[in-house]
Amino acid sequence: MEELFKYIPFLIPIAVIQLALLASAVVHILRHNSFRFGNRLMWLIICVAVNIIGPVLYFVIGKGDD
Amino acid sequence: MIRQFQALSKKEFYESAATFRLYILLAVFLLFGMLSPLIAKATPDLLAAIDTGMVIEMPEPTALDSWTQFFKNVAQMGMIILVILYSGIMSNEFSKGTLVNLLTKGLSRSVVILAKFVAASIVWLASYLICLGTCWAYTIYFWGSVEISNAFLTFAAPWLFGEILIALLMLGGTIFSNVYGSLFTCFAAVVVLNAISLIPKASRYNPASLAGGTLALIAGAGEPSQFIPAMVVGAVLAAGLVVATIEVFKRKRV
């Protein structure tokens, strides 16, 4: 446990970023219906399952232009 | 001219916010700023936690390890993300035809390129400063204040390399009118620059050494004067690429 406390100053901000990315990506997926490839379910799974990289991938290559 | 420039760069900022480019870049670089000291700090603990039966002697991590990670992350992953996010900087305008109306109403073509370049540079600078600031703060938190010699030169170099990449993306996008043209130009130029650095005499003037090479300065090895020629060449190259982009764009049918 003591080992873990050393990393608290990192863990909290990283968790905040991850949750913010996840929330914005999920909201965006649910409100838009155009994807460059794949479908809504696929992107939802990617965003939820892959921390940080999933939402970033969605915004970079998955989001369709509208 | 000035008003056109202001209006267009404002439009660029709104665009990067609307396409989430701005937020992604800021978030990713904030993460890199945190991850670099974290990886440096946690590596011995991680290795200890994996019980392989082997005894791996790890020296106590230092602030230098944290900066090594910083340069690695920014110079590799950071640049790749910058390039991917900005790969559509010119081609989106061509494919959607959004510039046609503005240009026929008399918007200067050089203003278009300059505004795009400056807006992208400011976003890149902001992301880079956030990354640097976070890494700096955590490094001081864990290892106490560390004297960094030639800090400005050391940290300005990767930023300058990013500027070259943005200029390359714009030139490629203007010539080929699509995303792949941008990416290809950028990739080809990086390959060429890295090939040049194989020649020992040329490597001193090679902007490729800007991406991660100045790390040696923090470690106390290497002279700052070693990197100044590369910095000058890099700055001239970035400016030259922007001018070339303007010239190509002036001759282009939109």
Side-chain angles (χ1 to χ4, degrees):
Chain A
M1 221 33 216
E2 208 173 288
E3 287 288 293
L4 197 64
F5 277 119
K6 203 161 67 177
Y7 298 115
I8 287 289
F10 291 116
L11 294 176
I12 293 171
I14 290 178
V16 169
I17 295 180
Q18 150 68 6
L19 289 177
L21 277 173
L22 178 65
S24 52
V26 167
V27 168
H28 197 275
I29 294 171
L30 292 177
R31 291 172 75 178
H32 296 74
N33 206 13
S34 63
F35 306 96
R36 226 167 278 170
F37 58 88
N39 54 34
R40 184 174 278 173
L41 184 66
M42 181 195 106
W43 281 113
L44 276 180
I45 292 172
I46 290 178
C47 287
V48 176
V50 190
N51 282 354
I52 296 169
I53 298 170
V56 170
L57 267 184
Y58 170 69
F59 282 119
V60 174
I61 57 171
K63 184 171 71 72
D65 315 297
D66 37 18
Chain B
M1 282 291 265
I2 303 288
R3 276 189 57 198
Q4 286 184 348
F5 180 80
Q6 282 172 341
L8 213 63
S9 37
K10 213 171 169 183
K11 172 234 158 212
E12 285 298 318
F13 284 119
Y14 283 133
E15 191 190 334
S16 45
T19 54
F20 290 87
R21 210 191 288 155
L22 181 67
Y23 308 122
I24 294 293
L25 213 56
L26 293 179
V28 166
F29 275 89
L30 183 61
L31 268 176
F32 280 153
M34 277 189 269
L35 281 179
S36 310
L38 173 64
I39 292 172
K41 186 86 184 160
T43 306
D45 283 355
L46 283 175
L47 286 179
I50 311 165
D51 188 16
T52 50
M54 268 191 304
V55 182
I56 305 167
E57 280 294 323
M58 283 288 290
E60 189 64 16
T62 61
L64 187 59
D65 292 322
S66 165
W67 288 119
T68 314
Q69 286 295 333
F70 172 83
F71 275 92
K72 251 192 191 159
N73 288 337
V74 169
Q76 292 169 7
M77 283 310 291
M79 297 284 180
I80 291 173
I81 287 177
L82 177 76
V83 164
I84 292 175
L85 280 174
Y86 274 99
S87 55
I89 185 170
M90 293 308 297
S91 57
N92 281 350
E93 302 276 5
F94 294 132
S95 61
K96 289 181 192 157
T98 34
L99 279 177
V100 178
N101 282 335
L102 299 172
L103 289 175
T104 47
K105 299 274 183 205
L107 177 65
S108 154
R109 289 191 170 211
S110 31
V111 166
V112 174
I113 301 292
L114 283 178
K116 275 182 174 298
F117 183 71
V118 169
S121 304
I122 292 173
V123 173
W124 162 230
L125 180 63
S127 336
Y128 185 68
L129 285 180
I130 283 180
C131 186
L132 182 58
T134 326
C135 187
W136 202 305
Y138 275 113
T139 307
I140 286 177
Y141 175 80
F142 277 114
W143 289 280
S145 65
V146 197
E147 191 74 21
I148 296 178
S149 45
N150 306 304
F152 179 76
L153 185 67
T154 314
F155 294 119
W159 176 77
L160 185 60
F161 194 71
E163 292 289 281
I164 298 174
L165 291 181
I166 296 174
L168 279 169
L169 285 175
M170 292 185 64
L171 181 62
T174 313
I175 295 174
F176 298 107
S177 310
N178 61 40
V179 177
Y180 304 106
S182 281
L183 290 175
F184 174 77
T185 311
C186 210
F187 180 72
V190 172
V191 168
V192 168
L193 285 179
N194 279 314
I196 293 176
S197 63
L198 292 176
I199 309 165
K201 274 186 186 159
S203 64
R204 200 162 164 256
Y205 300 95
N206 192 348
S209 65
L210 296 177
T214 42
L215 176 64
L217 286 180
I218 295 187
E223 287 287 307
S225 58
Q226 223 177 329
F227 287 98
I228 288 176
M231 293 278 282
V232 174
V233 172
V236 171
L237 183 63
L241 285 168
V242 173
V243 173
T245 312
I246 293 175
E247 288 305 314
V248 174
F249 190 52
K250 275 182 180 164
R251 286 165 182 74
K252 191 176 172 69
R253 282 192 56 193
V254 180

